[in-house]
Amino acid sequence: MTCSRRCLRVLNTRPTEDAAELYKLLCELGYEVISEPLLSVRFKNLSPPAIGAFQAVLFTSRNGVRAFAYTSDERRAVAFAVGDATSREAEAVGFEEVRCAAGNVKSLAALVVNQLNPRDGPLLHVSASVTAGDLAGRLNKAGFGVEKSVLYETIPSTKLSTRTEEMFKNNEMDIVILFSPRTARTFVALLKRSELLDFCKGLVVVCLSKDVAAELYDITGISILTANEPTLEAMLRIFRDIDCGNWENG
């Protein structure tokens, strides 16, 4: 991507733990990136149950892997990961056998059902206090016992930074990137709180999935671009295809 005028500004809403990677990748594509974490991650001072009692450990986010690694040294279990980034994180902390669903909670449940037998023992799901989807419910219907270990929480931001507010008011924000339904809900809530909904005309919002995009119904005048699969690479393909030489915002 090359910019014939100013580089497009992207609001990076990822939590601090994941923001740096996205910041670097978008800058390499020629974007100006403004960091505005809308969720913060807090590990709980809890230990997961011994994983020897389970036939597999299920991770639905990178933060779940990090929270587990923060409190436990155990790695001798099959790990199932919801997507590529979570899979890489599990491998990085030392899990030797990681199976990747490359999708969402629905695809993770399908992978588990396809590869495991309920008679071989229960499953351990490492999760946040608030989760998207009903992984345990899907697996329970297939006969699996699932124990949920809540090791972290994600806390929504209560206010946009002054810089971000001013950029919206001055029509200087071009693109917002959203990776989860909760982040999207937080974004909409903060726009309302700061009375910025009327300043979103022409804004492009890049979403990881249709579930994320569905949370934006209260914002009018925006364009929504949704990744064709829920991966970081699919999100980056959208940014590679944007021609800022023909860009018009508002």
Side-chain angles (χ1 to χ4, degrees), residues 11-130:
L11 192 68
N12 177 6
T13 62
R14 300 224 76 183
T16 302
E17 294 79 3
D18 298 314
E21 176 188 26
L22 182 60
Y23 182 96
K24 178 177 180 291
L25 292 169
L26 291 176
C27 285
E28 289 174 349
L29 291 175
Y31 290 91
E32 180 182 348
V33 184
I34 293 85
S35 294
E36 183 77 38
L38 297 186
L39 300 176
S40 59
V41 179
R42 180 185 298 166
F43 295 159
K44 292 180 175 291
N45 190 25
L46 299 171
S47 296
I51 60 177
F54 302 91
Q55 63 167 313
V57 182
L58 314 180
F59 294 110
T60 46
S61 74
R62 296 170 75 175
N63 287 313
V65 177
R66 292 166 181 154
F68 181 88
Y70 179 75
T71 57
S72 174
D73 294 327
E74 294 189 83
R75 303 291 186 269
R76 299 184 69 177
V78 178
F80 282 76
V82 69
D84 294 342
T86 305
S87 178
R88 290 194 300 270
E89 194 72 30
E91 291 171 348
V93 302
F95 282 95
E96 294 183 2
E97 186 175 354
V98 181
R99 303 178 188 180
C100 180
N104 51 25
V105 166
K106 182 179 179 180
S107 58
L108 176 59
L111 181 66
V112 171
V113 170
N114 184 56
Q115 295 193 359
L116 300 181
N117 189 321
R119 292 191 295 271
D120 291 336
L123 308 169
L124 178 65
H125 176 205
V126 177
S127 74
S129 53
V130 177

